[in-house]
């Protein structure tokens, strides 16, 4: 990571630490819930993405440095809140996918922020359970 990328990462994550607790409370904010790889506790992170059938797509702006991606690698079972409803599924990072191209098919506002702030884009695919992926814990 270059010096500029490192600075961008540190500033962005500092802002996200303060903003994410507020965003994840908004009822229609899309949120991914992972299991903390050390604590074992649920960890909720606001994300942008799009559901296509039984698959939810998102792009991580910091790739494998993102805490939720590290949690997914330790335990791929996740929940995703889409449109105010929780869905369970299995997530997997796709390092060979063209994340920049994937962003073009995702919601514009979030994609613009990910593109502007991101230093190591990584596509994440979540295969939702069931025909419509419904469940809640």
């Amino acid at each position: 990571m270059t010096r500029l990328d490192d600075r961008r990462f540190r500033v962005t994550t500092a802002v996200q630490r303060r903003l994410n607790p507020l965003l994840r409370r908004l009822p229609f904010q899309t949120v991914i819930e992972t299991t903390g790889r050390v604590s074992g506790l649920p960890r909720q992170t606001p994300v942008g993405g799009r559901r296509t059938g039984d698959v939810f797509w998102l792009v991580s702006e910091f790739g494998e440095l993102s805490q939720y991606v590290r949690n997914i690698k330790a335990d791929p079972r996740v929940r995703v809140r889409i449109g105010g409803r929780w869905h369970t599924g299995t997530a997997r990072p796709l390092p060979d996918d063209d994340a920049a191209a994937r962003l073009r098919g995702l919601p514009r506002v979030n994609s613009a922020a990910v593109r502007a702030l991101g230093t190591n884009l990584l596509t994440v695919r979540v295969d939702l359970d069931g025909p419509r992926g419904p469940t809640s814990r």
Side-chain angles (χ1 to χ4, degrees):
M1 188 180 302
T2 69
R3 195 173 172 143
L4 177 61
D5 287 347
D6 181 57
R7 182 173 171 84
R8 186 182 305 165
F9 173 76
R10 286 186 289 115
V11 169
T12 302
T13 54
V15 170
Q16 287 174 339
R17 270 190 217 105
R18 288 168 179 76
L19 193 59
N20 284 355
L22 301 173
L23 289 175
R24 68 178 170 239
R25 289 188 180 123
L26 299 175
F28 288 97
Q29 169 67 48
T30 302
V31 173
I32 189 165
E33 183 179 85
T34 60
T35 300
R37 63 193 175 281
V38 175
S39 69
L41 299 173
R43 300 296 184 200
Q44 295 182 351
T45 305
V47 294
R50 174 163 285 139
R51 182 178 182 162
T52 306
D54 290 333
V55 177
F56 181 77
W57 295 95
L58 67 118
V59 175
S60 167
E61 67 264 53
F62 298 116
E64 294 188 12
L65 291 178
S66 295
Q67 297 299 320
Y68 71 90
V69 173
R70 295 172 73 187
N71 289 342
I72 287 168
K73 290 179 79 174
D75 180 359
R77 293 298 298 164
V78 299
R79 291 194 320 153
V80 182
R81 187 176 70 196
I82 307 166
R85 294 190 58 209
W86 285 102
H87 307 273
T88 59
T90 304
R92 59 188 166 116
L94 300 175
D96 295 331
D97 190 63
D98 185 348
R102 180 75 57 195
L103 272 177
R104 290 191 284 276
L106 300 181
R108 289 183 182 174
V109 173
N110 180 264
S111 295
V114 169
R115 221 178 340 273
L117 300 172
T119 58
N120 188 22
L121 303 180
L122 175 67
T123 300
V124 177
R125 174 187 172 128
V126 180
D127 294 306
L128 302 172
D129 296 338
R132 291 294 297 165
T135 60
S136 61
R137 275 194 230 183

